């Protein structure tokens, strides 16, 4: 009898960050969607639409071998009835798709090349946690990760920071004490000022 393949360690922090981000999105007052976020260029509506596109739909499609249609880049998901609940349901579908070990075994397209599924999952963890934190800040909520998830996030920020800065995904690092919690260090390294 063959043992069931195990999921990579990254799946657990991904699930934890997804759960916290869904909680924050469900707690947003639609009247606050015009609120400023810690990202100077994006209001809360823009952050939420980014989360819906990348951490719900794209995240699901990646596990299935696809990617989101280009026309969805301009779609205002928050204009649709029940958008917050729909986001939570789509994230559940994404997590279910990535709970299949075979999803982690394939190469996935990124730009003109292909990268391991673990690389895509690491970037999605960044999307959930960093933009989830922005959504929480803009909507008067607190974004909380357990230490294991925050440590995994910090590792991903360290791995991708240089590339993300080249493409304006991250700003210059913010200085925090060397003994700051892992989540604060991850935010700071990504160019976000923890509060």
């Amino acid at each position: 009898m063959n043992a069931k393949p195990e999921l990579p360690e990254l799946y657990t922090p991904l699930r934890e960050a997804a759960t916290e981000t869904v909680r924050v999105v469900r707690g947003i007052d639609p009247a606050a969607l015009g609120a400023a976020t810690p990202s100077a260029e994006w209001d809360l509506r823009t952050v939420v639409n980014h989360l819906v596109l990348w951490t719900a739909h794209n995240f699901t499609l990646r596990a299935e071998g696809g990617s989101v249609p280009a026309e969805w880049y301009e779609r205002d998901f928050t204009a649709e009835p029940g958008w917050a609940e729909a986001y939570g349901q789509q994230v559940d579908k994404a997590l279910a798709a990535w709970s299949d070990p075979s999803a982690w075994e394939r190469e996935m397209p990124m730009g003109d090349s292909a990268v391991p599924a673990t690389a895509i999952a690491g970037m999605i963890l960044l999307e959930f946690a960093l933009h989830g934190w922005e959504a929480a800040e803009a909507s008067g909520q607190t974004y909380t990760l357990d230490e294991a998830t925050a440590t995994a996030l910090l590792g991903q920020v360290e791995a991708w920071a240089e590339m993300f800065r080249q493409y304006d995904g991250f700003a210059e690092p913010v200085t925090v004490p060397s003994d700051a919690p892992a989540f604060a260090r991850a935010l700071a390294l990504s160019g976000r000022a923890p509060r």
Side-chain angles (χ1 to χ4, degrees):
M1 189 168 118
N2 292 335
K4 186 178 175 190
E6 289 190 17
L7 288 168
E9 286 181 13
L10 195 53
Y11 182 78
T12 299
L14 200 52
R15 188 188 63 223
E16 294 301 314
T19 300
E20 178 66 352
T21 301
V22 167
R23 182 193 67 77
V24 165
V25 168
R26 284 178 169 153
I28 292 172
D29 179 351
L33 286 168
T37 72
S39 174
E41 303 83 30
W42 289 11
D43 64 8
L44 182 53
R45 184 185 312 276
T46 305
V47 168
V48 170
N49 277 319
H50 185 87
L51 280 167
V52 174
L53 180 67
W54 295 106
T55 66
H57 294 292
N58 185 61
F59 189 31
T60 307
L61 289 165
R62 287 301 197 139
E64 298 167 353
S67 58
V68 292
E71 61 268 21
W72 283 18
Y73 288 24
E74 304 302 320
R75 182 171 164 185
D76 181 6
F77 295 96
T78 66
E80 299 165 14
W83 55 268
E85 194 54 39
Y87 173 67
Q89 291 170 1
Q90 189 63 40
V91 168
D92 284 345
K93 283 185 192 172
L95 290 170
W98 282 82
S99 72
D100 179 352
S102 67
W104 296 82
E105 293 168 1
R106 62 175 71 111
E107 297 269 309
M108 297 185 177
M110 188 172 86
D112 296 328
S113 59
V115 297
T118 50
I120 297 297
M123 286 187 270
I124 296 292
L125 175 58
L126 297 181
E127 297 284 341
F128 271 126
L130 301 178
H131 293 306
W133 173 81
E134 290 172 345
E137 290 287 304
S139 59
Q141 301 181 72
T142 301
Y143 193 93
T144 306
L145 295 177
D146 63 67
E147 197 59 23
T149 302
T151 300
L153 172 67
L154 177 58
Q156 292 298 319
V157 173
E158 289 169 343
W160 294 104
E162 188 176 330
M163 188 193 86
F164 274 47
R165 260 188 269 288
Q166 286 176 7
Y167 296 97
D168 297 323
F170 287 175
E172 287 304 306
V174 174
T175 303
V176 293
S178 58
D179 62 351
F183 188 36
R185 283 183 284 144
L187 290 169
L189 185 57
S190 76
R192 292 161 173 84
R195 299 177 189 177

